[in-house]
Amino acid sequence: MLEHRDVYHNYIAGRWCAGGAGAIDVIDPATGDILGQHTLADHRDVDAAVQAARQQHQNGELRSMRPLERGRLVQAMGRYLLDHSDELAKLLTREQGKPLWEAKLEIDGAAQYFEYYGNQASTVEGRSVPLGAGYLDFTELEPYGVSAHIIPWNYPIEMTARSLSAALATGNSCVVKSPELTPLSSRIFGLAADAIGMPKGAINVICGVGHEAGASLSAHPDVNQLVFTGSVATGIAIATAAAQNVVPCVLELGGKSAAIVHSDADLDAFETDLRWGIYFNAGQVCSAMSRVIVHHSRYDELIERAVGVAGSLSVGAGIERKEFGPNMGAMVSEAQCQRALDMVKRALNQGAQCVHGGQRLGGPGAFLAPTVLGGISPNMAIASEEVFGPVLSVLSFDSDEEAITLANSTPYGLVAGVFTRDLDRATRAARQLRAGQVFINEWYAGGVETPFGGYGRSGYGREKGREALWNYVQTKNIAIKTSSI
Ligand code: NAD
């Protein structure tokens, strides 16, 4: 069903439709080949998608369904993804660049969101409020209505699943704006909705250019709530549009997250954290471990191990990298690859040392060698700016206080890590770190169950975990005057 087609279409009110803004070529970043085209929504298509969601919300089919049954529908979305994982993973890999095994992992992660939030649908409960004799008072948690989801290209399937699953589970009707760099695999959400009998208009998926369709969606007066993951500049534009319509939004805007590695850390184990932390998805992860702040006594050893990890990775076309292992795919686009390379060059001009990588691979494709930069000082741009590529920056510290100061020295605050055998030291640090999530002795410890989101310019609101459910509901209080007793 996901078979190759020349032009992929938008999915609005249960129908596949062409867009008013033409179509965009979708490029395989490993080869530069055109994979196909995706139709682009104009403001009329955006409006059609919002109206489809609004009508669905007003007719109440999804909203009024018994939550247990709505939860079953949400779970069925996840099962559909898993049933089509093989073909979906190939398409995702071809348009995004990641190794095939990483694409499968992404689909598995996406399915987990539908499973988790499908299970939670019937647990979203209000409370009763005692007002004394003569009154019965209770609260209900109602869906906002039309929930808009603007999706980035680094994990298009998983990021869509993350917010869509919770929004649907709580009874919202959704419009997803897929990323223009990687829109093809998002077709799966329309196919799944059709196949499992999701009420029409509950899921609408449109692709469009960010500053046109994305802007039009975020400013649409009938959108009641927004979720965005991506860059800070776009987040500010979306939050501004949301503020003008007085609707809430959740922003997840990336980071420059640091691992603090103490002198007693287990560096054998830390090699795995390096591998996953900065080279997974070629470093295009908002919560990547893009900085390591290591105690000066272990600095040389850490650099040596980081060079070993980077050097062990085979880099090439994701479609050929089928099995979990020491490998890495292309970056998402030429532009992202060049941007990362320019940031590395600037760091070198500012005095950083490149101890591994730092250049593109020869031949076609957007491949950047796994890179390790040493000798980073906090005043260099690379110490605080998000590269969004496979580039590790290593800094050193002398005292615990200095480590915390360095870790907290960027405008971001998404995640942080502490690596030590001393649990007192780790928990003390966890409380001092300005980040929404702190990993102790394992980068990425956690899962769909654990709340995730940023401090500072990493955004606001929480996704994942039970916390995310509250993004999609508003509280209504109902007070009843009963007969006096
Ligand atoms: P972006 O923020 O511009 O794009 C993300 C999504 O927002 C896309 O769907 C895009 O179409 C949409 N968009 C763009 N402009 C919009 C607007 N004015 N109104 C509404 N929607 C709009 O990100 P990008 O340009 O693709 O990448 C730039 C940088 O953003 C990256 O280098 C990286 O640092 C960061 N980024 C972060 C994440 C993350 O997960 N935190 C994901 C992608 C990109």
Side-chain angles (χ1 to χ4, degrees):
M1 299 245 271
L2 275 162
E3 79 277 6
H4 177 76
R5 47 190 64 229
D6 292 334
V7 185
Y8 289 67
H9 282 144
N10 293 330
Y11 180 76
I12 300 175
R15 285 190 301 276
W16 298 97
C17 352
I24 192 167
D25 287 340
V26 181
I27 310 287
D28 180 342
T31 61
D33 295 342
I34 296 176
L35 289 172
Q37 288 194 315
H38 201 293
T39 198
L40 288 177
D42 65 7
H43 67 277
R44 281 180 295 269
D45 302 313
V46 170
D47 184 56
V50 172
Q51 295 314 331
R54 188 160 179 250
Q55 264 177 29
Q56 169 51 231
H57 188 68
Q58 284 173 343
N59 83 28
E61 204 180 344
L62 184 77
R63 169 170 58 92
S64 308
M65 198 178 279
R66 184 176 173 183
L68 195 79
E69 285 168 23
R70 200 166 57 225
R72 283 189 191 134
L73 275 182
V74 174
Q75 290 181 335
M77 292 286 297
R79 281 197 298 277
Y80 186 90
L81 260 59
L82 290 179
D83 288 346
H84 295 81
S85 175
D86 285 346
E87 50 181 330
L88 178 58
K90 283 185 197 140
L91 188 58
L92 178 56
T93 283
R94 295 291 302 279
E95 66 175 345
Q96 206 279 341
K98 62 186 69 187
L100 193 57
W101 66 266
E102 284 197 31
K104 286 198 177 139
L105 215 56
E106 175 171 347
I107 295 159
D108 192 53
Q112 284 182 29
Y113 284 111
F114 286 111
E115 185 180 355
Y116 177 73
Y117 287 113
N119 268 324
Q120 307 270 335
S122 52
T123 70
V124 179
E125 297 167 338
R127 66 188 178 103
S128 75
V129 182
L131 284 183
Y135 291 95
L136 174 63
D137 188 285
F138 58 95
T139 64
E140 286 197 336
L141 301 177
E142 293 189 343
Y144 274 102
V146 178
S147 171
H149 306 238
I150 299 177
I151 305 297
W153 43 257
N154 55 340
Y155 287 96
I157 298 297
E158 202 168 349
M159 295 300 95
T160 302
R162 181 169 80 180
S163 50
L164 185 63
S165 55
L168 290 169
T170 43
N172 294 273
S173 295
C174 302
V175 179
V176 174
K177 210 293 280 169
S178 61
E180 54 269 55
L181 280 175
T182 59
L184 304 184
S185 49
S186 299
R187 179 175 158 76
I188 196 75
F189 295 105
L191 293 172
D194 273 349
I196 64 149
M198 182 64 74
K200 301 220 180 309
I203 298 178
N204 304 277
V205 186
I206 54 176
C207 177
V209 174
H211 60 86
E212 292 170 1
S216 158
L217 179 61
S218 45
H220 198 293
D222 290 326
V223 165
N224 306 114
Q225 185 264 346
L226 287 141
V227 192
F228 170 71
T229 302
S231 62
V232 175
T234 304
I236 292 170
I238 288 172
T240 304
Q244 267 155 4
N245 285 331
V246 198
V247 297
C249 69
V250 177
L251 299 179
E252 204 265 89
L253 307 180
K256 188 77 189 180
S257 302
I260 297 174
V261 179
H262 285 282
S263 55
D264 63 347
D266 176 352
L267 289 195
D268 276 343
F270 190 68
E271 288 192 9
T272 306
D273 298 286
L274 282 168
R275 191 263 171 273
W276 286 97
I278 189 62
Y279 301 123
F280 189 49
N281 204 21
Q284 300 162 117
V285 183
C286 44
S287 48
M289 188 175 77
S290 49
R291 291 183 297 156
V292 168
I293 303 171
V294 58
H295 189 260
H296 68 88
S297 64
R298 309 287 300 271
Y299 177 85
D300 290 343
E301 186 188 349
L302 188 127
I303 288 278
E304 199 178 309
R305 287 176 183 266
V307 167
V309 170
S312 73
L313 299 177
S314 109
V315 184
I319 205 76
E320 291 160 10
R321 282 154 177 77
K322 299 184 173 66
E323 306 295 337
F324 168 79
N327 53 46
M328 198 178 84
M331 293 186 69
V332 73
S333 68
E334 281 296 324
Q336 281 298 123
C337 187
Q338 193 54 47
R339 177 180 173 277
L341 196 57
D342 289 346
M343 290 181 78
V344 170
K345 282 188 188 149
R346 189 161 161 228
L348 299 182
N349 286 336
Q350 291 182 343
Q353 298 141 19
C354 182
V355 289
H356 195 274
Q359 81 283 337
R360 298 181 62 128
L361 300 192
F367 293 103
L368 183 63
T371 297
V372 181
L373 300 178
I376 304 294
S377 58
N379 56 343
M380 295 176 186
I382 197 104
S384 57
E385 290 176 9
E386 186 178 43
V387 177
F388 225 64
V391 179
L392 177 70
S393 295
V394 185
L395 300 88
S396 70
F397 72 90
D398 290 321
S399 67
D400 289 21
E401 293 70 34
E402 187 189 5
I404 299 288
T405 304
L406 285 172
N408 287 344
S409 67
T410 80
Y412 292 109
L414 193 53
V415 303
V418 188
F419 292 78
T420 173
R421 291 185 166 90
D422 180 343
L423 204 54
D424 282 345
R425 177 184 247 169
T427 45
R428 213 167 34 244
R431 298 218 161 94
Q432 292 171 314
L433 285 163
R434 282 189 47 77
Q437 189 167 17
V438 178
F439 305 124
I440 294 177
N441 291 335
E442 185 187 270
W443 199 264
Y444 294 140
V448 295
E449 308 90 333
T450 47
F452 172 73
Y455 282 29
R457 284 172 88 84
S458 291
Y460 45 72
R462 293 292 175 268
E463 306 227 59
K464 305 166 73 171
R466 276 188 67 73
E467 281 75 359
L469 290 165
W470 317 133
N471 297 331
Y472 304 98
V473 289
Q474 49 196 336
T475 302
K476 178 176 280 176
N477 190 80
I478 299 171
I480 305 172
K481 170 98 174 78
T482 59
S483 58
S484 310
I485 26 168

